[in-house]
Amino acid sequence: MAVRFVRKLEKYGRLSKTECQVIVDVSQNTRKIAARKSILHEDENSQKSCVILSGLACRYKIFEDGARQIVGFLVPGDFCEGYAHQPEYHLGTLSQCLIAYLDNDALAGIMDEYPRISRNLWRTSKAEAAVLREWLVNIGRRPADKRVAYLICELCTRLDGSDVDVAGGCALPVSQIELADATALSTVHINRVLSRLRDNKLVTLQRRSITIKDLGRLKAYAQFQDAYLQLPKSA
Amino acid sequence: MAVRFVRKLEKYGRLSKTECQVIVDVSQNTRKIAARKSILHEDENSQKSCVILSGLACRYKIFEDGARQIVGFLVPGDFCEGYAHQPEYHLGTLSQCLIAYLDNDALAGIMDEYPRISRNLWRTSKAEAAVLREWLVNIGRRPADKRVAYLICELCTRLDGSDVDVAGGCALPVSQIELADATALSTVHINRVLSRLRDNKLVTLQRRSITIKDLGRLKAYAQFQDAYLQLPKSA
DNA sequence: CGAAAGGTTGAAACTTCTCAAGCAGGGTGG
DNA sequence: CCACCCTGCTTGAGAAGTTTCAACCTTTCG
């Protein structure tokens, strides 16, 4: 996740010509349906991995009582693997997505042939863990307003690092429900937080698009440091 | 982290004879000092990794205001890498530990020589991410009592999977302060939670040791499933 | 146009935190 | 050897943040 994989994608592109099964997953426009309709059910497809080529997706865990915790977003370029041992986790789309699937057996063969691939996958996984740590800290230690602001900073920064242009504003197909599930807050509270952030002229999130007047101010407010994302340009 | 590395440790053992610098880090008995005294400061030693051979350690992030969030515990056999891009993270001991340090340059050389190492490191990193996801869900979606119970289940299960014998009770050098920092609760609340768990005869945590009358009952209460730890025997 | 999903608002309840004070025990110095 | 001190644990009470419930509004989509 997290790390931009332009270079890596080229590699995967090379691989996909021979090994990958590229599938267009045209999910419904309705976000909720799209999110509920998972594209990688672990119990069914744990032997597959995928790369997000376009669109926005997320990983989430569903509890028996229906509660959901989103544990990460996936932007174009992100690699995502099935969790063989965690059937309660799913991968779902938040918008129309183009996704390249990759059979895990094929991946194993590729790693044998190209040793650098497994090293890159290690990097990928470490980057994902770095993001998870930040989410943990964010949910664990920050109050609601900064928590939401921080998540928005991360999403925008990662989108900006992929193919999306996030200057001042862009499409962000995330509903308040999904924001709530990602930040471990209730939807009602998310709503109040967003209106406060809007009143404070920090960020406006409406109609599936986001407007940030002053990204620097938002980052400062959220105490957001992008080093953990290990973006090429952040160095 | 998370995954038992008995087999892997043998490999590291082989490596350490030639490449690793094995250092005994005898931290003070006082837990707090030990925890505060980090053993891998990112700004200083980001080019080093290590393997915990014995004892209990943790990773944590410190905020400017002194708040701390523990993002993971390390039990014997766990591999731990420096975070070059996240200087606010540290690695600290919770008890006397024996730690093998490994220079990252040496590690890179080893990976060139033994391609399977990088694949194993990928596995390691994926296992760490799996644990982080569970922590995220735990902190995000579970009420305080179950949250603490869940963490205790994880710690005991992982310790049981390393060299420690956890039948009914064992040493657990974790203070209430550290539990609070790991579960994103206040120490006062941790105290009340622990006394409730004790009253309900689920778990007793006193004097640096833990007593569990009925582990199955505790796991059921915490809704703990150990599949994500990918223990050899859990299959 | 109607239905369904998501967004908005208010009020009450609940969980958790903060502040504050006191207790317990282990290690250290007199 | 004892007293002291420091750290961690315990307890109470009030405050704060967040959730829940419920109703209503708005937008989207068929």
Side-chain angles (χ1 to χ4, degrees), chain A residues 5 35-36 38 75 82 88 110 126 136 159 163 169 172 186 203 208 210 223 228 231 233:
Chain A
F5 288 127
R36 303 289 177 201
S38 66
V75 304
E88 68 277 26
I110 291 161
K126 285 193 294 183
L136 196 53
L159 282 171
D163 59 353
L172 193 71
S186 68
V203 59
R208 303 178 188 185
I210 197 169
Q223 297 164 278
Y228 73 100
L231 300 171
K233 62 181 176 187

Side-chain angles (χ1 to χ4, degrees), chain A residues 45-80:
Chain A
N45 293 315
S46 60
Q47 67 277 16
K48 280 189 180 173
S49 297
C50 66
V51 177
I52 309 293
L53 300 177
S54 72
L56 189 66
C58 70
R59 289 200 223 235
Y60 57 93
K61 173 167 182 168
I62 293 278
F63 284 75
E64 299 81 21
D65 66 358
R68 181 172 70 157
Q69 174 68 50
I70 293 176
V71 297
F73 290 105
L74 291 111
V75 304
D78 284 344
F79 173 79
C80 176

Side-chain angles (χ1 to χ4, degrees), chain B residues 78-98:
Chain B
D78 284 343
F79 173 79
C80 177
E81 208 210 0
Y83 306 150
H85 299 273
Q86 299 184 83
E88 67 278 25
Y89 282 86
H90 304 286
L91 184 62
T93 52
L94 298 172
S95 71
Q96 211 178 38
C97 288
L98 181 64

Side-chain angles (χ1 to χ4, degrees), chain A residues 183-220:
Chain A
T183 52
L185 295 166
S186 68
T187 54
V188 173
H189 203 103
I190 281 285
N191 184 285
R192 296 190 229 264
V193 166
L194 284 179
S195 62
R196 274 198 298 266
L197 292 177
R198 201 183 313 130
D199 292 347
N200 293 334
K201 302 204 178 0
L202 284 163
V203 59
T204 303
L205 188 59
Q206 278 175 328
R207 309 268 203 79
R208 303 178 188 185
S209 76
I210 197 169
T211 313
I212 301 171
K213 290 255 174 63
D214 185 345
L215 184 57
R217 202 165 137 252
L218 183 64
K219 286 186 176 179

Side-chain angles (χ1 to χ4, degrees), chain B residues 1-234:
Chain B
M1 234 154 143
V3 173
R4 298 300 137 273
F5 289 126
V6 181
R7 282 160 270 161
K8 185 168 292 183
L9 255 183
E10 289 163 9
K11 281 180 197 156
Y12 280 117
R14 197 178 61 194
L15 298 171
S16 69
K17 284 174 195 161
T18 59
E19 303 279 0
C20 293
Q21 186 185 1
V22 179
I23 299 173
V24 182
D25 177 61
V26 184
S27 47
Q28 308 311 309
N29 261 337
T30 322
R31 286 180 312 251
K32 194 192 168 186
I33 293 174
R36 303 289 177 201
K37 189 172 193 308
S38 66
I39 55 182
L40 258 191
H41 267 291
E42 301 318 320
D43 43 338
E44 298 163 357
N45 292 316
S46 60
Q47 67 278 14
K48 280 190 180 172
S49 297
C50 66
V51 176
I52 309 292
L53 299 177
S54 72
L56 189 66
C58 69
R59 290 198 220 235
Y60 56 93
K61 173 167 181 167
I62 293 278
F63 284 75
E64 299 80 24
D65 65 359
R68 179 172 71 154
Q69 174 69 49
I70 292 176
V71 297
F73 289 105
L74 292 109
V75 304
D78 284 343
F79 173 79
C80 177
E81 208 210 0
Y83 306 150
H85 299 273
Q86 299 184 83
E88 67 278 25
Y89 282 86
H90 304 286
L91 184 62
T93 52
L94 298 172
S95 71
Q96 211 178 38
C97 288
L98 181 64
I99 294 166
Y101 287 99
L102 177 62
D103 196 75
N104 280 359
D105 292 337
L107 183 60
I110 291 162
M111 285 194 292
D112 288 336
E113 198 175 345
Y114 306 96
R116 271 163 60 189
I117 294 291
S118 49
R119 216 141 149 186
N120 274 328
L121 286 173
W122 180 39
R123 271 187 134 73
T124 306
S125 185
K126 286 194 294 182
E128 182 187 344
V131 174
L132 282 168
R133 274 190 291 274
E134 287 303 318
W135 277 51
L136 195 53
V137 168
N138 196 34
I139 289 181
R141 288 283 169 234
R142 265 188 269 262
D145 289 39
K146 294 193 174 187
R147 200 188 299 182
V148 173
Y150 191 96
L151 181 62
I152 290 173
C153 284
E154 188 201 285
L155 263 176
C156 286
T157 306
R158 288 173 61 199
L159 282 171
D160 190 52
S162 68
D163 59 351
V164 184
D165 185 27
V166 191
C170 69
L172 193 72
V174 179
S175 71
Q176 295 189 0
I177 297 171
E178 284 142 9
L179 258 188
D181 286 349
T183 52
L185 295 167
S186 67
T187 54
V188 173
H189 204 199
I190 281 284
N191 185 282
R192 296 192 228 264
V193 166
L194 284 179
S195 61
R196 275 197 298 265
L197 292 177
R198 201 183 314 130
D199 293 347
N200 294 333
K201 303 203 176 5
L202 284 164
V203 58
T204 304
L205 189 59
Q206 278 175 328
R207 307 269 205 80
R208 303 178 189 185
S209 76
I210 197 169
T211 312
I212 302 172
K213 290 254 175 63
D214 185 345
L215 184 58
R217 202 165 138 253
L218 183 64
K219 285 185 176 179
Y221 173 75
Q223 297 164 278
F224 179 81
Q225 306 280 338
D226 65 5
Y228 73 99
L229 294 173
Q230 300 182 44
L231 300 172
K233 61 181 174 185
S234 76

